[in-house]
């Protein structure tokens, strides 16, 4: 009899918990719908974007819940970093790769890699070292070496949504490509770097540790990229989409989505970077598989992938707004208001400094090695905008912070609770303050009459730069080889891109699809 009562009580509690969970999801979805409606009404407002709208509505919802629950909690759902990395992040990154303008992206590939990879390491070093030195000066102790390294990776991740809504691809194609490409590669690099940090032995830190971290990063970066480009694109996409005799929009879109997600899960299965894999899978799929499906499938797929990404981003920012008022984290932290204010100020200062430390020097380097054409240079005005574009912190920073300082979204450690609240405050401050000032800054730094100066396209002979022409005499061939080598050194991006296009048109597209 007692056993029956026990099972009956447990069944009742389980049903009640399931019912409460359904209620929470229903309320959260309703608030998410409200975000979309308000965002649509404010669509023409260049001062406020979807991210700011979701955060503000999240704060308002959190305030209402806080009063309704008598100060017990301010959120509807509990954040789970695994849920973020498994379900929310893949559609965001895949859509970024799927929608990217490949020509502009790969023509500026060298500069994007400089900003998105080398720049992250510079910013990571400054933020990690700065926080290690400055936190102790204001009396904040308790963090370990791995925590400081993780802080460097967490706050090196950018969110470029605000700046991209102000820039126009038709007016400033190269600037837009640099900001967009660097933002995506930056997020991927930050996640890969964060994962590499988790694998190092912090008890034996020495000079070679930096080389080990860099080695692990290169391994994850290149293997993940190859997996995303080669495996799904060349095998499954070709076999299933190209060999279909009968076209079906439902099946084609389902296969494209599942293959993209399969590339992400397989990368995680082999302990690689799923974010890099799914990004390059999106680029490859839009380049090849896109031309193997019907026109209906193309239109539908583009909107479906964009919609999934839009929902995932709104979900994250809405939660951040609600979690900012979470009483559990604020009660768990023991630091004084003065110390907390010092932590916020230090983090914002290090973000500003770390961003400036690589944008301006690497822009000069990019101008030197990419082109001698004055109109193709990254001007100082463009450098200021690129610097500002990476000051906002967003969803990836929040997810990495929860991964480092919480367990399933919960922490009772006062030091870790302080870091979680600090991350949320920095994300809120950077999104609301920097995001709101984005429009006037861009209009001031780059007026409309300066945005129409598009970069010149590569000359026609760039696409045909043979190092040796067999038909010509030996002397002419040597001169031609010298001239081509000089052009290769002066314009490596355009030249390499031209050779890739020749190889792609001759060998890849006829097999895997796409107009020749």
């Amino acid at each position: 009899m007692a056993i029956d009562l026990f099972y009956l009580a447990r069944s009742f509690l389980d049903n009640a918990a399931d019912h409460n969970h359904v209620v929470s999801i229903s309320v959260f979805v309703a608030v998410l719908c409200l975000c979309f409606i308000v965002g649509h009404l404010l669509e023409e407002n260049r001062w406020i974007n979807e991210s700011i709208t979701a955060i503000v509505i999240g704060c308002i919802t959190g305030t209402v819940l806080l009063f309704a629950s008598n100060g017990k909690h301010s959120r509807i759902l509990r954040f789970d970093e695994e849920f973020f990395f498994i379900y929310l992040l893949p559609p965001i990154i895949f859509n970024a790769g799927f929608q990217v303008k490949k020509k502009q992206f790969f023509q500026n590939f060298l500069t994007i890699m400089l900003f998105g990879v080398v720049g992250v390491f510079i910013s990571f070093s400054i933020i990690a070292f700065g926080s290690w030195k400055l936190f102790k000066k204001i009396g904040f102790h308790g963090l370990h070496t791995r925590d400081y390294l993780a802080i460097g990776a967490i706050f090196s991740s950018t969110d470029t949504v605000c700046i991209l809504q102000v820039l126009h691809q038709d007016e400033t194609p190269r600037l837009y490509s640099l900001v967009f490409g660097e933002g995506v590669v930056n997020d991927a690099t930050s996640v890969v770097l964060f994962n590499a940090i988790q694998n190092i032995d912090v008890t034996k830190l020495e000079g070679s540790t930096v080389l080990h971290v860099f080695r692990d990063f290169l391994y994850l970066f290149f293997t993940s990229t190859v997996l995303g480009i080669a495996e799904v694109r060349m095998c499954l996409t070709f076999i299933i989409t190209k060999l279909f005799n009968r076209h079906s929009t439902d099946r084609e879109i389902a296969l494209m989505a599942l293959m993209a997600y399969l590339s992400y899960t397989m990368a995680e299965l082999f302990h690689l970077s799923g974010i890099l894999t799914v990004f390059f899978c999106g680029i490859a799929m839009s380049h090849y598989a896109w031309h193997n499906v019907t026109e209906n499938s193309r239109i539908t797929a583009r909107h479906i992938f964009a919609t999934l990404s839009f929902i995932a981003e709104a979900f994250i920012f809405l939660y951040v707004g609600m979690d900012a008022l979470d009483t559990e984290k604020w009660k768990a932290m023991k630091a004084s208001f003065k110390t907390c204010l010092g932590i916020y100020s230090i983090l914002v200062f290090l973000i500003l400094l770390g961003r400036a430390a690589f944008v301006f020097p690497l822009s000069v380097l990019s101008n030197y090695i990419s082109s001698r054409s004055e109109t193709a240079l990254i001007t100082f005005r463009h450098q200021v905008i690129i610097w500002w574009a990476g000051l906002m912190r967003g969803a990836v920073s929040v997810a990495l912070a929860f991964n480092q300082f919480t367990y399933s979204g919960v922490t009772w450690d006062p030091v870790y609770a302080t870091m979680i609240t600090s991350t949320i405050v920095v994300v809120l401050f950077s999104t609301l303050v920097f995001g709101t000032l984005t429009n006037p800054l861009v209009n001031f730094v780059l007026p409309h009459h300066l945005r129409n100066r598009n970069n010149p396209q590569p000359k026609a002979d760039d696409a045909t730069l043979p190092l040796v022409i067999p038909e010509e005499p030996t002397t002419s061939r040597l001169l031609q080889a010298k001239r081509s080598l000089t052009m290769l050194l002066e314009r490596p991006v355009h030249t390499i891109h031209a050779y890739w296009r020749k190889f792609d048109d001759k060998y890849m597209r006829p097999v895997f699809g796409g107009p020749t």
Side-chain angles (χ1 to χ4, degrees), residues 92-93 95-101 105 112 160 163-164 167 169 174-186 279 389:
I92 296 175
I93 302 302
N95 182 68
F98 193 79
Q99 305 283 357
V100 69
K101 299 296 183 182
F105 180 83
I112 289 174
T160 58
I163 200 81
L164 288 176
L167 295 177
Q169 189 161 349
R174 190 186 187 205
L175 181 60
Y176 186 96
S177 176
L178 290 176
V179 172
F180 176 80
E182 188 258 335
V184 175
V185 176
N186 178 291
F279 172 67

Side-chain angles (χ1 to χ4, degrees), residues 85 153-154 157 190-191 194 395-405:
F85 281 106
I154 289 168
S157 174
S190 299
V191 175
F194 180 86
V396 176
S397 295
V398 174
L400 294 180
F402 272 82
N403 188 294
Q404 179 69 24
F405 300 114

Side-chain angles (χ1 to χ4, degrees), residues 218-228 272-273 277:
L218 291 179
Y219 169 76
L220 289 174
F221 192 94
F222 287 108
T223 52
S224 302
T225 301
V226 170
L227 179 64
L272 302 177
S273 172
T277 301

Side-chain angles (χ1 to χ4, degrees), residues 294-408:
T294 61
E295 184 65 25
N296 289 336
S297 298
R298 297 176 190 176
I299 297 174
T300 307
R302 185 177 295 276
H303 288 292
I304 286 179
F305 296 148
T307 300
L308 292 176
S309 174
F310 180 70
I311 293 175
E313 289 182 350
F315 184 101
I316 295 167
F317 282 106
L318 179 62
Y319 184 88
V320 169
M322 289 189 294
D323 200 59
L325 301 175
D326 180 27
T327 55
E328 291 181 2
K329 296 181 180 62
W330 292 101
K331 290 179 180 178
M333 51 184 290
K334 304 297 182 181
S336 64
F337 175 78
K338 182 180 179 181
T339 302
C340 291
L341 189 61
I343 294 173
Y344 309 152
S345 303
I346 289 172
L347 290 175
V348 173
F349 168 74
L350 291 176
I351 290 172
L352 293 167
L353 178 63
R355 183 76 183 170
F358 75 83
V359 168
F360 298 102
L362 292 183
S363 296
V364 175
L365 178 62
S366 175
N367 289 337
Y368 178 77
I369 65 177
S370 63
S371 178
R372 302 296 185 183
S373 174
E374 183 179 356
T375 55
L377 299 178
I378 304 176
T379 65
F380 181 75
R381 294 175 181 269
H382 290 170
Q383 294 173 28
V384 171
I385 294 177
I386 294 173
W387 169 73
W388 185 268
L391 296 180
M392 277 73 78
R393 294 298 177 264
V396 176
S397 295
V398 174
L400 294 180
F402 272 82
N403 188 294
Q404 179 69 24
F405 300 114
T406 70
Y407 180 76
S408 297

Side-chain angles (χ1 to χ4, degrees), residues 108-240:
N108 299 291
F109 187 75
L110 181 60
T111 306
I112 289 174
M113 288 296 109
L114 281 175
F115 289 153
V117 178
V118 179
V120 167
F121 273 90
I122 296 175
S123 177
F124 158 77
S125 302
I126 291 176
I127 295 175
F129 181 78
S131 59
W132 175 56
K133 284 293 186 180
L134 297 179
F135 281 179
K136 296 177 182 180
K137 291 186 178 297
I138 62 174
F140 183 64
H141 304 277
L143 293 176
H144 306 290
T145 303
R146 193 189 305 275
D147 296 326
Y148 287 115
L149 296 176
I151 290 172
I154 289 168
F155 291 102
S156 294
S157 174
T158 65
D159 180 58
T160 58
V161 174
C162 296
I163 200 81
L164 288 176
Q165 289 185 340
V166 176
L167 295 177
H168 294 281
Q169 189 161 349
D170 296 333
E171 296 178 347
T172 55
R174 190 186 187 205
L175 181 60
Y176 186 96
S177 176
L178 290 176
V179 172
F180 176 80
E182 188 258 335
V184 175
V185 176
N186 178 291
D187 284 346
T189 304
S190 299
V191 175
V192 175
L193 181 59
F194 180 86
N195 292 334
I197 290 171
Q198 305 305 312
N199 298 326
I200 65 173
D201 186 2
V202 294
T203 61
K204 301 178 180 179
L205 286 179
E206 51 190 25
S208 60
T209 304
V210 178
L211 297 178
H212 291 163
V213 172
F214 189 69
R215 180 198 62 191
D216 293 342
F217 167 80
L218 291 179
Y219 169 76
L220 289 174
F221 192 94
F222 287 108
T223 52
S224 302
T225 301
V226 170
L227 179 64
I229 294 176
E231 180 185 355
V232 175
R233 168 175 64 83
M234 293 187 177
C235 298
L236 299 179
T237 303
F238 165 68
I239 293 173
I240 299 178

